[in-house]
Amino acid sequence: MKWMFVPLLAITSTANAMIIRHDVEDAKYQAAAQSDNSTVTFLGLYKGDEIVLGTGSLIDKQWIVTAAHVANELTVGNKVQFKTDFYSIKEVIKHPLWKERHFPNDIALVQLASPIEDATIAKLNHASTEKGKIATFVGRGDYGNGLVGVAGADKQLRAAHNAVVGVQEQWLQFIFDRDANALPLEGISGPGDSGGPAYLVSTNLVCLIGVSSWQNAESTNWEEGKYGVIEHYSRIAYFRDWIEKTLLQTSGISPEICPDS
């Protein structure tokens, strides 16, 4: 088997957030997440316990971009966390070409029943200049590092950085590097971070370039979250037209677009 398609969602166990460097204090990743104002967490119940079903990015006060395989687990009324506040889902729209367990077109839109007034709305990327850019990932849940992989659960919000190393038609690719090759806050997504963002962040702009989808763990003998895994994010520039048309048809909304970069 050449490729391992590991969806970054785990409904059979406690979900996981950012997997970080083994040689950097975890507190630095938690501190980095405090400035995030655009990311939400989808919550659900499993055997009576509240778990993280996935993650998403606000592109309007009431609309979220996430992964279609996360949307499979969401229903109207599901709880959505933004910072310390909670909202509920009004509607879930998966890409029409998505098929369960097939990862192309792994993108979806989620409408909230009420607006989030104090969020920073992420703009949609349209440029084809992603390669080499440093993206910010954000997620909530378990902790872990590149040596041990996924280690446990604490439901803390973390932010990590990673560089785009590959751009394909539907995908952005990231590698979990270590030591001298790694960024100061290098990290990678884990289960529960599915649907979460790859942002380009500047002083007055949050630009969404990708949505966390699946991980190729061939290089680690299929152990998720360890150094060397290759992360695949659904590419916003590829899906921008579908997002725009869907929002216009359903709500008469036109999402904001990132300026050329």
Side-chain angles (χ1 to χ4, degrees), residues 45-235:
L45 294 176
Y46 179 73
K47 294 185 177 180
D49 294 327
E50 188 171 74
I51 65 169
V52 177
L53 295 177
T55 307
S57 303
L58 287 158
I59 59 166
D60 176 80
K61 292 180 180 181
Q62 281 185 254
W63 284 95
I64 299 160
V65 174
T66 189
H69 78 268
V70 170
N72 275 351
E73 311 299 329
L74 304 179
T75 59
V76 172
N78 262 133
K79 189 191 293 187
V80 181
Q81 183 175 359
F82 174 72
K83 293 188 176 294
T84 58
D85 295 324
F86 298 92
Y87 300 80
S88 62
I89 291 175
K90 178 180 179 181
E91 186 175 9
V92 178
I93 304 173
K94 289 175 280 189
H95 193 283
L97 297 180
W98 158 261
K99 294 182 180 180
E100 190 171 0
R101 302 184 186 280
H102 294 174
F103 277 79
N105 306 297
D106 190 15
I107 199 158
L109 292 166
V110 176
Q111 185 180 23
L112 296 172
S114 57
I116 299 178
E117 298 291 350
D118 55 346
T120 300
I121 302 305
K123 295 180 166 78
L124 301 179
N125 182 55
H126 70 97
S128 58
T129 56
E130 302 102 329
K131 190 170 183 179
K133 297 292 178 63
I134 306 300
T136 297
F137 301 158
V138 184
R140 182 187 300 278
D142 286 13
Y143 57 86
N145 65 60
L147 287 183
V148 302
V150 177
D154 61 9
K155 292 190 176 181
Q156 293 293 324
L157 190 70
R158 292 176 175 84
H161 300 150
N162 209 309
V164 179
V165 295
V167 179
Q168 299 174 350
E169 189 176 36
Q170 291 194 28
W171 305 111
L172 301 179
Q173 294 175 314
F174 302 86
I175 296 177
F176 192 10
D177 287 321
R178 62 176 298 175
D179 303 327
N181 294 323
L183 296 167
L185 289 182
E186 181 93 11
I188 206 75
S189 298
D193 290 324
S194 276
Y199 294 134
L200 300 182
V201 180
S202 58
T203 304
N204 297 309
L205 176 68
V206 175
C207 181
L208 181 65
I209 64 170
V211 170
S212 179
S213 180
W214 62 277
Q215 191 172 105
N216 171 23
E218 182 181 18
S219 66
T220 63
N221 196 30
W222 317 118
E223 293 187 80
E224 190 176 0
K226 289 194 171 183
Y227 292 122
V229 296
I230 303 173
E231 187 81 19
H232 291 71
Y233 275 56
S234 295
R235 188 180 175 214

